[in-house]
Amino acid sequence: MPPDSSPAAIAAPDLSQSPPSLIELFVAFAKMSLAGFGGVLVWARRAIVDQHKWMTADEFNETFALCHFLPGPNIVNLTFVFGSRFRGLAGAVAAFSGLVGPPALIMVVMGVLYHRYGEIDALRRILSGVACAAIGLMLAVVFRMMTPLLKRRDVIGLLVMVAVFIAIGVLRLPLAAVLLAAIPISIAITYAMRKNKEAA
């Protein structure tokens, strides 16, 4: 089997420098969480792929896809998978602490303030604007994550993505049922395509 047949999310990254230290993992994920208005995924991808180059775009997509099918919040799963990949259990704890620690402290303070001043109309309008910005950020990261598929002209991958979106977002089919159908189908298609490439 050729070396490139193993999933990129499992293989170690080809880094020109030493892996990030525990402090670097904590600080990087703390920055992501503090910048992550409307969700950390946007900033996580920017920091991991674009800024630090700890993963390629394909590796990030595949790792995030794996985290999608694990129980629990996706971005929390990503911190554990990513941190343990470089520094084992200690790296997972460092990344998780950076992700959750600073925002948790801020949310305690904000929760107290909202409980006291939450009825103010100006504050409600501000929160509505933040919600719109969050939607824009999420759409932006979706398009960024689609880039590798578009560059490779992976029509099958795009079709599977669109089919899952329609099934869940438009037809409102149960998430678990859609995933149970989509996962084996996408794996079978990928396997068949790789077999055809090897045979060619």
Side-chain angles (χ1 to χ4, degrees):
M1 182 177 291
D4 61 350
S5 61
S6 59
I10 304 300
D14 182 15
L15 296 174
S16 58
Q17 54 187 2
S18 60
S21 65
L22 296 178
I23 297 296
E24 287 174 325
L25 285 172
F26 177 86
V27 171
F29 277 90
K31 287 180 179 178
M32 295 175 204
S33 63
L34 291 174
F37 295 95
V40 181
L41 177 60
V42 180
W43 306 101
R45 188 193 182 282
R46 177 177 295 179
I48 292 172
V49 176
D50 300 329
Q51 183 180 352
H52 297 291
K53 301 189 185 304
W54 287 332
M55 280 182 171
T56 65
D58 282 327
E59 288 172 335
F60 183 87
N61 286 354
E62 292 172 8
T63 303
F64 186 68
L66 170 66
C67 296
H68 237 75
F69 300 122
L70 297 175
N74 301 327
I75 192 64
V76 173
N77 294 339
L78 180 66
T79 62
F80 271 92
V81 172
F82 182 82
S84 63
R85 182 182 185 186
F86 290 100
R87 295 291 178 179
L89 179 59
V93 172
F96 174 76
S97 300
L99 179 78
V100 175
L105 293 176
I106 293 173
M107 284 306 301
V108 169
V109 176
M110 296 298 291
V112 172
L113 293 176
Y114 184 78
H115 179 72
R116 185 177 181 88
Y117 303 108
E119 298 301 322
I120 299 176
D121 288 337
L123 179 59
R124 289 183 173 178
R125 288 195 293 269
I126 290 172
L127 293 177
S128 297
V130 170
C132 294
I135 294 172
L137 287 171
M138 185 57 64
L139 291 175
V141 79
V142 167
F143 283 112
R144 292 293 298 276
M145 292 179 70
M146 284 174 55
T147 302
L149 297 177
L150 296 173
K151 285 183 177 179
R152 290 199 309 264
R153 297 180 182 177
D154 189 350
V155 178
I156 300 298
L158 290 170
L159 289 176
V160 170
M161 180 188 68
V162 171
V164 171
F165 172 77
I166 292 174
I168 297 173
V170 179
L171 302 179
R172 304 292 183 182
L173 297 178
L175 175 63
V178 173
L179 293 182
L180 286 174
I183 292 172
I185 290 173
S186 59
I187 291 174
I189 292 173
T190 303
Y191 180 79
M193 290 178 65
R194 287 189 175 180
K195 281 294 184 181
N196 290 336
K197 286 184 179 179
E198 292 175 4

